Amino acid sequence: MKLWADFHTHTKYSHGTGTIRQNVEVAAKKGLSVIGISEHGPANIGVGTAPDDFERMREEVEILKSNFAGIRILLGCEANIISLDGDLDVSDKILSKLDYVMVGLHPLVWARSLKNAYYLMIENMLQWRIQWLRTKVTDRNTKALIRAVKNHKIAIVTHPGLHLPVDTAALAQIAAQCGTALEINAGHGYMTEEYVRIAKKYGVKFAIGSDAHKPSDVGNFKRGLEIAEKAGLTEDDIINATRVPEMTIINLSNIDLHS
Ligand SMILES: [Zn+2]
Ligand SMILES: [Zn+2]
């Protein structure tokens, strides 16, 4: 199975080590036809991207486009959920600069309010030690993600199940309805093979992302491909593997990646 796009890569704008240009160079060298720059949303504690930097990134991407004719360069982001209502940490102003939006649950996020911080951060930490909290926390995480997917145009949910537990079946069901793909993250190994098998039953699509934090990792899909293959996925289950145009990313800003 050959993947032609990497939608999940980081740069120095958050806590990656390379520049946008370096990520694009590696992607082009590895023969990808699409590269997405997807920085962390501003609410990630310590590693969030400054809101104004999205404008700078857009300018950089536009300049790079004329230097790299053989590859599509997209500007996305890995937004955070900052409330149980599924609110995102990207303003309309930031959204207007982006080609696509991914969303992921991360353990350290500036939440919208103290109450939301308690549920999204503190309880998620506690559930590792306090077993009986786990079901409640999983339910809250899942509802927040589902609301985000329903209320926003989300291309991909990144690494479901990593660090913060989610109900994979419930998420997959809604993601399938909303045209949102679930990521198999090659860096972290989430979703696991078991989660992928559960999600596939609901007809959801998957995306394999490198989650590269250094340029040399761009397009490194090995672990993600292994999970996909073990779980029995085919090219048409995976938005960056499929050759069928109409099955390509529904929520990717109406960009026809096959044109
Ligand atoms: Zn992430
Ligand atoms: Zn990431």
Side-chain angles (χ1 to χ4, degrees):
M1 191 184 307
K2 174 134 177 51
L3 301 180
W4 45 263
D6 192 350
F7 295 115
H8 193 166
T9 75
H10 295 281
T11 71
K12 281 180 177 170
Y13 279 107
S14 62
H15 62 154
T17 59
T19 61
I20 296 180
R21 173 181 277 275
Q22 287 171 322
N23 281 15
V24 175
E25 278 169 356
V26 174
K29 214 184 278 172
K30 290 187 180 174
L32 296 181
S33 45
V34 177
I35 166 87
I37 305 298
S38 58
E39 283 304 11
H40 290 288
N44 263 118
I45 296 174
V47 301
T49 305
D52 289 347
D53 278 346
F54 285 95
E55 205 160 331
R56 280 183 204 110
M57 284 191 276
R58 173 45 79 193
E59 284 164 15
E60 258 183 67
V61 164
E62 291 311 308
I63 292 166
L64 287 171
K65 277 181 181 174
S66 50
N67 299 336
F68 292 87
I71 184 164
R72 295 281 291 272
I73 310 168
L74 302 178
L75 181 63
C77 86
E78 187 179 10
N80 294 290
I81 290 180
I82 53 170
S83 78
L84 292 183
D85 291 331
D87 293 318
L88 304 183
D89 64 341
V90 279
S91 63
D92 287 347
K93 192 179 165 203
I94 293 176
L95 288 175
S96 72
K97 304 282 170 212
L98 304 178
D99 296 312
Y100 66 100
V101 180
M102 310 195 295
V103 69
L105 283 173
H106 295 100
L108 293 174
V109 163
W110 298 110
R112 174 140 286 173
S113 66
L114 275 178
K115 189 176 148 204
N116 283 301
Y118 175 76
Y119 289 133
L120 291 171
M121 204 158 72
I122 310 293
E123 266 202 348
N124 268 286
M125 286 174 185
L126 293 174
Q127 58 86 23
W128 288 110
R129 285 167 186 270
I130 307 171
Q131 202 61 34
W132 60 263
L133 259 181
R134 195 135 212 231
T135 315
K136 237 195 314 184
V137 171
T138 304
D139 187 51
R140 284 198 188 108
N141 290 344
T142 308
K143 280 190 179 137
L145 261 182
I146 283 175
R147 285 176 184 141
V149 166
K150 275 186 167 173
N151 297 341
H152 305 274
K153 195 174 165 190
I154 306 291
I156 298 166
V157 175
T158 59
H159 49 64
L162 173 69
H163 303 310
L164 292 83
V166 296
D167 178 341
T168 307
L171 175 63
Q173 224 168 327
I174 301 299
Q177 285 167 19
C178 295
T180 299
L182 301 184
E183 183 191 54
I184 303 171
N185 187 298
H188 294 291
Y190 272 82
M191 317 167 78
T192 60
E193 184 192 331
E194 181 198 355
Y195 290 165
V196 172
R197 281 184 196 279
I198 293 169
K200 185 180 153 64
K201 287 188 196 145
Y202 297 92
V204 74
K205 300 292 175 202
F206 299 87
I208 299 180
S210 70
D211 203 356
H213 284 72
K214 57 178 193 287
S216 59
D217 279 343
V218 171
N220 273 1
F221 299 121
K222 192 171 175 283
R223 185 140 66 137
L225 279 169
E226 283 168 6
I227 293 167
E229 275 159 20
K230 276 190 204 154
L233 299 188
T234 67
E235 269 186 4
D236 289 343
D237 294 313
I238 301 168
I239 61 171
N240 50 337
T242 183
R243 298 282 150 194
V244 185
E246 60 270 26
M247 289 179 69
T248 313
I249 311 104
I250 302 158
N251 277 338
L252 206 64
S253 214
N254 305 320
I255 296 167
D256 180 3
L257 295 169
H258 289 265
S259 62

PDB file of all heavy atoms in Angstrom, residues 164-186:
ATOM      1  N   LEU A 164      -5.534   9.986  26.472  1.00  0.00           N
ATOM      2  CA  LEU A 164      -6.866  10.207  27.037  1.00  0.00           C
ATOM      3  C   LEU A 164      -7.831   9.186  26.434  1.00  0.00           C
ATOM      4  O   LEU A 164      -7.955   9.099  25.210  1.00  0.00           O
ATOM      5  CB  LEU A 164      -7.356  11.630  26.728  1.00  0.00           C
ATOM      6  CG  LEU A 164      -6.584  12.750  27.439  1.00  0.00           C
ATOM      7  CD1 LEU A 164      -5.321  13.124  26.712  1.00  0.00           C
ATOM      8  CD2 LEU A 164      -7.453  13.974  27.623  1.00  0.00           C
ATOM      9  N   PRO A 165      -8.501   8.405  27.276  1.00  0.00           N
ATOM     10  CA  PRO A 165      -9.338   7.313  26.753  1.00  0.00           C
ATOM     11  C   PRO A 165     -10.589   7.816  26.045  1.00  0.00           C
ATOM     12  O   PRO A 165     -11.202   8.796  26.461  1.00  0.00           O
ATOM     13  CB  PRO A 165      -9.714   6.538  28.030  1.00  0.00           C
ATOM     14  CG  PRO A 165      -9.616   7.526  29.136  1.00  0.00           C
ATOM     15  CD  PRO A 165      -8.535   8.490  28.742  1.00  0.00           C
ATOM     16  N   VAL A 166     -10.936   7.167  24.940  1.00  0.00           N
ATOM     17  CA  VAL A 166     -12.198   7.479  24.248  1.00  0.00           C
ATOM     18  C   VAL A 166     -12.921   6.180  23.897  1.00  0.00           C
ATOM     19  O   VAL A 166     -12.311   5.125  23.812  1.00  0.00           O
ATOM     20  CB  VAL A 166     -11.997   8.295  22.936  1.00  0.00           C
ATOM     21  CG1 VAL A 166     -11.407   9.646  23.200  1.00  0.00           C
ATOM     22  CG2 VAL A 166     -11.168   7.535  21.930  1.00  0.00           C
ATOM     23  N   ASP A 167     -14.233   6.309  23.684  1.00  0.00           N
ATOM     24  CA  ASP A 167     -15.041   5.175  23.236  1.00  0.00           C
ATOM     25  C   ASP A 167     -14.938   5.140  21.708  1.00  0.00           C
ATOM     26  O   ASP A 167     -15.595   5.916  21.009  1.00  0.00           O
ATOM     27  CB  ASP A 167     -16.490   5.391  23.701  1.00  0.00           C
ATOM     28  CG  ASP A 167     -17.419   4.282  23.237  1.00  0.00           C
ATOM     29  OD1 ASP A 167     -17.063   3.551  22.290  1.00  0.00           O
ATOM     30  OD2 ASP A 167     -18.511   4.165  23.818  1.00  0.00           O
ATOM     31  N   THR A 168     -14.103   4.259  21.225  1.00  0.00           N
ATOM     32  CA  THR A 168     -13.785   4.220  19.788  1.00  0.00           C
ATOM     33  C   THR A 168     -15.030   3.979  18.940  1.00  0.00           C
ATOM     34  O   THR A 168     -15.201   4.608  17.892  1.00  0.00           O
ATOM     35  CB  THR A 168     -12.772   3.090  19.518  1.00  0.00           C
ATOM     36  OG1 THR A 168     -11.677   3.273  20.401  1.00  0.00           O
ATOM     37  CG2 THR A 168     -12.276   3.121  18.095  1.00  0.00           C
ATOM     38  N   ALA A 169     -15.890   3.072  19.375  1.00  0.00           N
ATOM     39  CA  ALA A 169     -17.081   2.732  18.582  1.00  0.00           C
ATOM     40  C   ALA A 169     -17.986   3.952  18.429  1.00  0.00           C
ATOM     41  O   ALA A 169     -18.435   4.274  17.332  1.00  0.00           O
ATOM     42  CB  ALA A 169     -17.825   1.583  19.237  1.00  0.00           C
ATOM     43  N   ALA A 170     -18.236   4.651  19.540  1.00  0.00           N
ATOM     44  CA  ALA A 170     -19.132   5.823  19.498  1.00  0.00           C
ATOM     45  C   ALA A 170     -18.541   6.923  18.621  1.00  0.00           C
ATOM     46  O   ALA A 170     -19.248   7.547  17.823  1.00  0.00           O
ATOM     47  CB  ALA A 170     -19.369   6.339  20.909  1.00  0.00           C
ATOM     48  N   LEU A 171     -17.250   7.151  18.748  1.00  0.00           N
ATOM     49  CA  LEU A 171     -16.596   8.184  17.943  1.00  0.00           C
ATOM     50  C   LEU A 171     -16.626   7.814  16.462  1.00  0.00           C
ATOM     51  O   LEU A 171     -16.928   8.652  15.603  1.00  0.00           O
ATOM     52  CB  LEU A 171     -15.141   8.373  18.413  1.00  0.00           C
ATOM     53  CG  LEU A 171     -14.294   9.330  17.576  1.00  0.00           C
ATOM     54  CD1 LEU A 171     -14.848  10.752  17.626  1.00  0.00           C
ATOM     55  CD2 LEU A 171     -12.832   9.325  18.044  1.00  0.00           C
ATOM     56  N   ALA A 172     -16.331   6.564  16.156  1.00  0.00           N
ATOM     57  CA  ALA A 172     -16.272   6.114  14.759  1.00  0.00           C
ATOM     58  C   ALA A 172     -17.624   6.289  14.070  1.00  0.00           C
ATOM     59  O   ALA A 172     -17.698   6.705  12.917  1.00  0.00           O
ATOM     60  CB  ALA A 172     -15.819   4.665  14.688  1.00  0.00           C
ATOM     61  N   GLN A 173     -18.665   5.984  14.797  1.00  0.00           N
ATOM     62  CA  GLN A 173     -20.021   6.094  14.246  1.00  0.00           C
ATOM     63  C   GLN A 173     -20.322   7.515  13.772  1.00  0.00           C
ATOM     64  O   GLN A 173     -20.799   7.741  12.679  1.00  0.00           O
ATOM     65  CB  GLN A 173     -21.005   5.726  15.356  1.00  0.00           C
ATOM     66  CG  GLN A 173     -22.101   4.830  14.906  1.00  0.00           C
ATOM     67  CD  GLN A 173     -22.848   4.276  16.124  1.00  0.00           C
ATOM     68  OE1 GLN A 173     -22.255   4.062  17.179  1.00  0.00           O
ATOM     69  NE2 GLN A 173     -24.123   4.056  15.970  1.00  0.00           N
ATOM     70  N   ILE A 174     -20.027   8.487  14.644  1.00  0.00           N
ATOM     71  CA  ILE A 174     -20.295   9.895  14.307  1.00  0.00           C
ATOM     72  C   ILE A 174     -19.314  10.405  13.255  1.00  0.00           C
ATOM     73  O   ILE A 174     -19.695  11.121  12.330  1.00  0.00           O
ATOM     74  CB  ILE A 174     -20.227  10.779  15.583  1.00  0.00           C
ATOM     75  CG1 ILE A 174     -21.239  10.298  16.622  1.00  0.00           C
ATOM     76  CG2 ILE A 174     -20.434  12.247  15.243  1.00  0.00           C
ATOM     77  CD1 ILE A 174     -22.693  10.360  16.178  1.00  0.00           C
ATOM     78  N   ALA A 175     -18.053  10.018  13.396  1.00  0.00           N
ATOM     79  CA  ALA A 175     -17.047  10.463  12.421  1.00  0.00           C
ATOM     80  C   ALA A 175     -17.438   9.992  11.025  1.00  0.00           C
ATOM     81  O   ALA A 175     -17.306  10.747  10.047  1.00  0.00           O
ATOM     82  CB  ALA A 175     -15.662   9.940  12.811  1.00  0.00           C
ATOM     83  N   ALA A 176     -17.926   8.776  10.918  1.00  0.00           N
ATOM     84  CA  ALA A 176     -18.338   8.238   9.615  1.00  0.00           C
ATOM     85  C   ALA A 176     -19.458   9.097   9.031  1.00  0.00           C
ATOM     86  O   ALA A 176     -19.442   9.451   7.854  1.00  0.00           O
ATOM     87  CB  ALA A 176     -18.785   6.789   9.762  1.00  0.00           C
ATOM     88  N   GLN A 177     -20.417   9.477   9.875  1.00  0.00           N
ATOM     89  CA  GLN A 177     -21.542  10.316   9.407  1.00  0.00           C
ATOM     90  C   GLN A 177     -21.079  11.702   8.966  1.00  0.00           C
ATOM     91  O   GLN A 177     -21.638  12.301   8.061  1.00  0.00           O
ATOM     92  CB  GLN A 177     -22.563  10.505  10.531  1.00  0.00           C
ATOM     93  CG  GLN A 177     -23.420   9.292  10.808  1.00  0.00           C
ATOM     94  CD  GLN A 177     -24.184   9.458  12.129  1.00  0.00           C
ATOM     95  OE1 GLN A 177     -24.348  10.562  12.639  1.00  0.00           O
ATOM     96  NE2 GLN A 177     -24.643   8.348  12.686  1.00  0.00           N
ATOM     97  N   CYS A 178     -20.052  12.228   9.660  1.00  0.00           N
ATOM     98  CA  CYS A 178     -19.634  13.611   9.404  1.00  0.00           C
ATOM     99  C   CYS A 178     -18.524  13.707   8.360  1.00  0.00           C
ATOM    100  O   CYS A 178     -18.053  14.815   8.063  1.00  0.00           O
ATOM    101  CB  CYS A 178     -19.152  14.255  10.703  1.00  0.00           C
ATOM    102  SG  CYS A 178     -20.449  14.425  11.924  1.00  0.00           S
ATOM    103  N   GLY A 179     -18.079  12.606   7.829  1.00  0.00           N
ATOM    104  CA  GLY A 179     -16.999  12.654   6.834  1.00  0.00           C
ATOM    105  C   GLY A 179     -15.654  12.986   7.449  1.00  0.00           C
ATOM    106  O   GLY A 179     -14.802  13.610   6.814  1.00  0.00           O
ATOM    107  N   THR A 180     -15.469  12.592   8.703  1.00  0.00           N
ATOM    108  CA  THR A 180     -14.204  12.840   9.399  1.00  0.00           C
ATOM    109  C   THR A 180     -13.430  11.521   9.510  1.00  0.00           C
ATOM    110  O   THR A 180     -14.008  10.511   9.893  1.00  0.00           O
ATOM    111  CB  THR A 180     -14.489  13.390  10.815  1.00  0.00           C
ATOM    112  OG1 THR A 180     -15.211  14.617  10.677  1.00  0.00           O
ATOM    113  CG2 THR A 180     -13.219  13.633  11.596  1.00  0.00           C
ATOM    114  N   ALA A 181     -12.163  11.564   9.162  1.00  0.00           N
ATOM    115  CA  ALA A 181     -11.346  10.346   9.246  1.00  0.00           C
ATOM    116  C   ALA A 181     -10.722  10.223  10.631  1.00  0.00           C
ATOM    117  O   ALA A 181     -10.524  11.224  11.323  1.00  0.00           O
ATOM    118  CB  ALA A 181     -10.251  10.393   8.186  1.00  0.00           C
ATOM    119  N   LEU A 182     -10.437   9.002  11.044  1.00  0.00           N
ATOM    120  CA  LEU A 182      -9.717   8.763  12.297  1.00  0.00           C
ATOM    121  C   LEU A 182      -8.268   8.423  11.944  1.00  0.00           C
ATOM    122  O   LEU A 182      -8.015   7.660  11.025  1.00  0.00           O
ATOM    123  CB  LEU A 182     -10.355   7.614  13.078  1.00  0.00           C
ATOM    124  CG  LEU A 182     -11.831   7.800  13.452  1.00  0.00           C
ATOM    125  CD1 LEU A 182     -12.316   6.627  14.309  1.00  0.00           C
ATOM    126  CD2 LEU A 182     -12.049   9.111  14.206  1.00  0.00           C
ATOM    127  N   GLU A 183      -7.367   9.004  12.697  1.00  0.00           N
ATOM    128  CA  GLU A 183      -5.953   8.827  12.361  1.00  0.00           C
ATOM    129  C   GLU A 183      -5.357   7.567  12.980  1.00  0.00           C
ATOM    130  O   GLU A 183      -5.615   7.241  14.131  1.00  0.00           O
ATOM    131  CB  GLU A 183      -5.148  10.034  12.862  1.00  0.00           C
ATOM    132  CG  GLU A 183      -3.674   9.942  12.463  1.00  0.00           C
ATOM    133  CD  GLU A 183      -2.821  10.975  13.170  1.00  0.00           C
ATOM    134  OE1 GLU A 183      -2.859  11.044  14.411  1.00  0.00           O
ATOM    135  OE2 GLU A 183      -2.118  11.716  12.485  1.00  0.00           O
ATOM    136  N   ILE A 184      -4.547   6.910  12.169  1.00  0.00           N
ATOM    137  CA  ILE A 184      -3.626   5.898  12.701  1.00  0.00           C
ATOM    138  C   ILE A 184      -2.276   6.597  12.718  1.00  0.00           C
ATOM    139  O   ILE A 184      -1.713   6.909  11.675  1.00  0.00           O
ATOM    140  CB  ILE A 184      -3.580   4.640  11.815  1.00  0.00           C
ATOM    141  CG1 ILE A 184      -4.982   4.053  11.656  1.00  0.00           C
ATOM    142  CG2 ILE A 184      -2.621   3.625  12.410  1.00  0.00           C
ATOM    143  CD1 ILE A 184      -5.065   2.931  10.627  1.00  0.00           C
ATOM    144  N   ASN A 185      -1.824   6.906  13.923  1.00  0.00           N
ATOM    145  CA  ASN A 185      -0.647   7.746  14.088  1.00  0.00           C
ATOM    146  C   ASN A 185       0.610   6.880  14.085  1.00  0.00           C
ATOM    147  O   ASN A 185       0.802   6.055  14.986  1.00  0.00           O
ATOM    148  CB  ASN A 185      -0.809   8.515  15.415  1.00  0.00           C
ATOM    149  CG  ASN A 185       0.256   9.545  15.641  1.00  0.00           C
ATOM    150  OD1 ASN A 185       1.433   9.219  15.731  1.00  0.00           O
ATOM    151  ND2 ASN A 185      -0.153  10.805  15.730  1.00  0.00           N
ATOM    152  N   ALA A 186       1.440   7.068  13.076  1.00  0.00           N
ATOM    153  CA  ALA A 186       2.620   6.209  12.918  1.00  0.00           C
ATOM    154  C   ALA A 186       3.669   6.487  13.998  1.00  0.00           C
ATOM    155  O   ALA A 186       4.470   5.619  14.330  1.00  0.00           O
ATOM    156  CB  ALA A 186       3.224   6.398  11.537  1.00  0.00           C
TER     157      ALA A 186
END
